[in-house]
């Protein structure tokens, strides 16, 4: 329940400024018993259930949160203080809590902020937001989950009835050059999961269709799961991603999903519910965090690893690692593997007494430096800063942060910064040697 505000320093020596937001509950005293929640009279839409259910003004962030510390949402709380009475001798509730800024020294940082889901309301053909019985995959996930708002009962929003037919529509926003060009990677498998769950729960009482273009079941055991869905009677309809449409019969709330097969034949299914596999997208805080940590995002907005094959958890900044879907969409087994690797790398940093940096770091000639600060603003890694030395302002390089990119060197108007092995003299000599070779040839 905190926001990261600023990070200074370098591998082994980071200092992070963190704003702890008030929960109005003292975490150390809260046992997670939930008695305050039972006493609270106020309910509001539960974001952890995709707003399909309600939560109390005092509640844990979500059912399986660790720790189960409760939090008061002051936007909804009416200050009746029934929670204080319910909490009793534990005295865990404190309405006077304020935001608090703390600084912590850490040796390594792991970025694991996951992803967000695209709201398909602007894809008019889906009818999402217009037709009550069109759901997103995450909404459906909450519906079918035993711990969800309906206790695991799949029901329509229009009449609260169990549907007798459901169509899953794949690649909604993903693999679409006008939206998100990339494949969201896990939708095929979670759709198979949802389809199999429906079939195993309701058997012949339900017809299940999957409108898909490619079924990407390409890891251990996944193809077998696809086969299981087919054996269970799920009907797979392979269609083009263009020209799909969902329409509604307003009298019944029933839907027609129509599309075209790859050879141009029109296909459709009349169903009582439709579920969209909407694109997974970069987390909305990714951009801000990338700026704070000075690590890059790719064109889609996911964090960039140092090298995709052999250094998939490293960032360009030593000591900052990536874990899970924030680096690129991946399902749980692969997120766990990635996270474990990042944790092992962070542990390796913490266990090292010293850190060997690349020798290619910028060098400042103090006699030439005028302290103009141009290098300071040019450096993308906060690796060079100007400070008073005696009565002179001088640039100083933090070797642990310098990535040897040379931008400060080319920006300096005084020619006061050089890169070892890349001085102007050396580069000119190399160019001359290369030109001579070409002339001789
Ligand atoms: C409908 C649906 C069903 C799925 N079903 C399955 C399945 O059955 N099996 C499977 O393998 N995969 C499934 N997946 C995929 C699965 O959700 C991802 O693989 C997994 O969540 C990735 O884990 P993660 O830890 O990288 O990201 P997340 O699970 O997104 O976790 C990131 C966490 O970081 C927090 N966070 C974000 N920003 C910040 C910040 N700035 N500061 C602090 N915290 C922050 C978030 O609140 C979140 O708790 C499903 C996905 C969907 C959409
Ligand atoms: S605030 Fe008090 S009553 Fe509420 S969960 Fe925590 S310990 Fe229990
Ligand atoms: S004071 Fe607020 S959180 Fe506590 S019981 Fe009343 S409404 Fe709920």
């Amino acid at each position: 329940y905190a926001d990261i505000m600023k990070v200074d320093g370098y591998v082994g020596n980071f200092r992070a400024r963190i704003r702890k937001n008030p929960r109005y509950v003292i975490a150390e005293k809260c046992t997670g018993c939930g008695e305050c929640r039972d006493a609270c009279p106020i309910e509001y839409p539960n974001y952890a259930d995709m707003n399909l259910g309600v939560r109390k003004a005092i509640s844990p962030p979500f059912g399986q949160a660790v720790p189960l510390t409760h939090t008061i949402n002051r936007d909804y709380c009416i200050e009746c203080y029934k929670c204080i009475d319910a909490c009793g001798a534990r005295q865990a509730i404190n309405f006077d809590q304020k935001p608090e800024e703390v600084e912590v020294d850490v040796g390594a940082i792991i970025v694991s902020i996951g992803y967000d889901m695209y709201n398909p309301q602007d894809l008019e053909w889906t009818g999402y937001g217009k037709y009550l019985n069109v759901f997103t995959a995450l909404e459906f996930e909450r519906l079918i989950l035993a711990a969800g708002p309906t206790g695991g009962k799949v029901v329509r929003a229009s009449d609260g009835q169990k549907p007798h037919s459901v169509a899953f529509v794949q690649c909604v926003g993903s693999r679409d050059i006008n939206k998100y060009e990339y494949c969201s990677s896990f939708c095929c498998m979670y759709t198979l999961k949802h389809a199999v769950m429906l079939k195993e729960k309701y058997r012949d009482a339900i017809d299940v269709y999957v409108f898909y273009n490619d079924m990407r079941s390409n890891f251990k055991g996944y193809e077998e799961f696809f086969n299981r869905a087919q054996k269970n009677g799920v009907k797979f309809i392979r269609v083009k991603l263009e020209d799909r449409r969902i329409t509604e019969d307003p009298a019944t709330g029933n839907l027609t999903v129509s599309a075209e097969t790859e050879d141009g034949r029109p296909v459709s299914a009349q169903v009582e519910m439709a579920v969209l596999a909407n694109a997974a997208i970069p987390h909305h805080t990714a951009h801000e965090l990338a700026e704070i940590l000075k690590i890059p995002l790719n064109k889609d907005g996911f964090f960039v690893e140092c090298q995709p094959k052999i250094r998939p958890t490293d960032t360009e900044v030593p000591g900052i690692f990536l874990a899970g879907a924030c680096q690129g969409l991946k399902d749980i087994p692969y997120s766990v593997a990635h996270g474990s690797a990042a944790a092992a790398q962070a542990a390796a940093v913490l266990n090292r007494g010293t850190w060997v940096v690349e020798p290619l770091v910028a060098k400042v000639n103090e006699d030439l430096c005028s302290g103009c600060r141009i290098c300071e603003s040019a450096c993308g890694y906060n690796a060079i800063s100007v400070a008073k030395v005696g009565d002179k302002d001088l640039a100083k390089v933090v070797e642990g942060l310098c990535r040897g990119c040379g931008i400060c060197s080319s920006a300096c108007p005084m020619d006061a910064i050089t890169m070892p092995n890349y001085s102007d003299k050396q580069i000119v000599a190399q160019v001359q040697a290369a030109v001579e070779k070409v002339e001789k040839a």
Side-chain angles (χ1 to χ4, degrees):
Y1 210 60
D3 294 305
I4 195 137
M5 313 296 294
K6 191 168 185 262
V7 172
D8 292 319
Y10 47 89
V11 56
N13 283 302
F14 292 110
R15 172 158 291 191
R17 182 162 342 132
I18 295 165
R19 186 181 57 222
K20 289 166 80 178
N21 298 311
R23 295 169 181 268
Y24 307 106
V25 172
I26 303 162
E28 296 75 25
K29 290 190 177 176
C30 175
T31 61
C33 66
E35 287 176 31
C36 54
R37 184 188 51 200
D38 296 342
C40 176
I42 298 298
E43 289 180 335
Y44 71 100
N46 185 359
Y47 57 83
D49 271 338
M50 301 303 291
N51 299 327
L52 296 173
V54 289
R55 65 194 294 140
K56 292 290 186 77
I58 184 164
S59 48
F62 54 93
Q64 296 82 24
V66 178
L68 208 54
T69 307
H70 284 47
T71 301
I72 297 177
N73 185 334
R74 295 294 290 269
D75 291 342
Y76 290 91
C77 170
I78 55 167
E79 299 187 3
C80 66
Y81 303 128
K82 288 189 176 153
C83 52
I84 295 184
D85 293 341
C87 189
R90 285 161 292 211
Q91 296 192 339
I93 295 171
N94 174 7
F95 273 81
D96 294 329
Q97 267 188 356
K98 301 266 178 294
E100 189 193 344
E101 287 202 3
V102 293
E103 288 202 329
V104 291
D105 292 327
V106 294
I109 295 171
I110 298 177
V111 181
S112 58
I113 61 169
Y115 62 96
D116 274 339
M117 296 301 286
Y118 158 62
N119 180 342
Q121 208 155 348
D122 60 344
L123 282 180
E124 190 261 332
W125 66 264
T126 64
Y128 182 72
K130 192 163 137 205
Y131 307 144
L132 285 174
N133 296 323
V134 178
F135 290 81
T136 64
L138 207 47
E139 288 168 343
F140 185 82
E141 177 90 13
R142 299 311 297 171
L143 276 186
I144 203 163
L145 192 80
T150 56
K153 283 200 191 101
V154 175
V155 289
R156 306 197 327 155
S158 63
D159 52 14
Q161 296 300 308
K162 179 180 90 60
H164 297 93
S165 49
V166 176
F168 291 91
V169 181
Q170 300 304 101
C171 303
V172 174
S174 315
R175 305 175 66 204
D176 177 345
I177 50 166
N178 298 314
K179 290 287 170 198
Y180 303 97
E181 194 179 355
Y182 56 84
C183 165
S184 290
S185 119
F186 40 62
C187 332
C188 285
M189 291 315 294
Y190 71 58
T191 294
L192 291 181
K193 173 184 75 172
H194 290 158
V196 166
M197 283 171 93
L198 273 181
K199 268 303 200 185
E200 292 186 351
K201 199 173 167 112
Y202 301 116
R203 303 199 177 265
D204 291 341
I206 198 157
D207 287 323
V208 179
Y209 303 88
V210 179
F211 285 78
Y212 76 109
N213 180 258
D214 291 303
M215 187 51 66
R216 296 186 169 174
S217 50
N218 56 338
F219 288 109
K220 189 176 173 186
Y222 291 10
E223 186 67 11
E224 293 88 323
F225 196 67
F226 181 24
N227 293 338
R228 178 167 148 195
Q230 288 170 300
K231 278 194 195 115
N232 275 334
V234 177
K235 297 181 184 81
F236 289 88
I237 305 173
R238 187 168 195 170
V239 297
K240 290 186 203 163
L241 294 182
E242 304 81 37
D243 301 325
R244 293 174 295 170
R245 179 153 294 278
I246 299 176
T247 51
E248 188 202 46
D249 173 356
T252 58
N254 291 346
L255 305 161
T256 303
V257 181
S258 28
E260 238 182 44
T261 60
E262 299 236 294
D263 55 7
R265 273 182 307 113
V267 277
S268 64
Q270 317 278 325
V271 289
E272 294 180 1
M273 179 187 271
V275 182
L276 310 176
N278 49 320
I281 58 176
H283 196 271
H284 64 277
T285 61
H287 199 78
E288 192 188 341
L289 195 57
E291 289 209 341
I292 290 173
L293 297 175
K294 301 266 181 265
I295 53 175
L297 299 172
N298 72 4
K299 71 174 179 39
D300 298 318
F302 294 100
F303 289 97
V304 177
E305 65 285 345
C306 224
Q307 212 287 339
K309 287 187 181 153
I310 53 172
R311 294 178 66 191
T313 51
D314 290 87
T315 64
E316 274 187 28
V317 180
I320 302 185
F321 303 103
L322 303 173
C326 67
Q327 175 257 356
L329 296 165
K330 49 181 82 58
D331 64 8
I332 294 170
Y334 291 88
S335 298
V336 169
H338 201 227
S340 305
Q345 282 190 295
V349 169
L350 301 185
N351 281 324
R352 276 200 217 175
T354 53
W355 187 267
V356 179
V357 294
E358 294 289 329
L360 202 72
V361 294
K363 299 267 179 257
V364 178
N365 182 332
E366 296 187 354
D367 295 334
L368 295 179
C369 174
S370 66
C372 68
R373 294 181 183 270
I374 288 176
C375 54
E376 220 178 57
S377 45
C379 177
Y381 302 99
N382 283 349
I384 190 162
S385 55
V386 173
K388 267 240 168 326
V389 179
D391 57 354
K392 208 177 164 202
D393 284 336
L394 284 178
K396 192 170 175 350
V397 176
V398 181
E399 295 192 347
L401 283 178
C402 176
R403 308 301 299 136
C405 68
I407 284 188
C408 56
S409 171
S410 47
C412 175
M414 305 302 292
D415 273 345
I417 306 174
T418 48
M419 308 305 298
N421 303 338
Y422 290 94
S423 68
D424 288 354
K425 226 168 134 187
Q426 284 168 313
I427 290 173
V428 170
Q430 284 170 13
V431 172
Q432 277 172 347
V435 170
E436 268 171 32
K437 262 194 196 164
V438 173
E439 279 171 356
K440 277 184 195 154

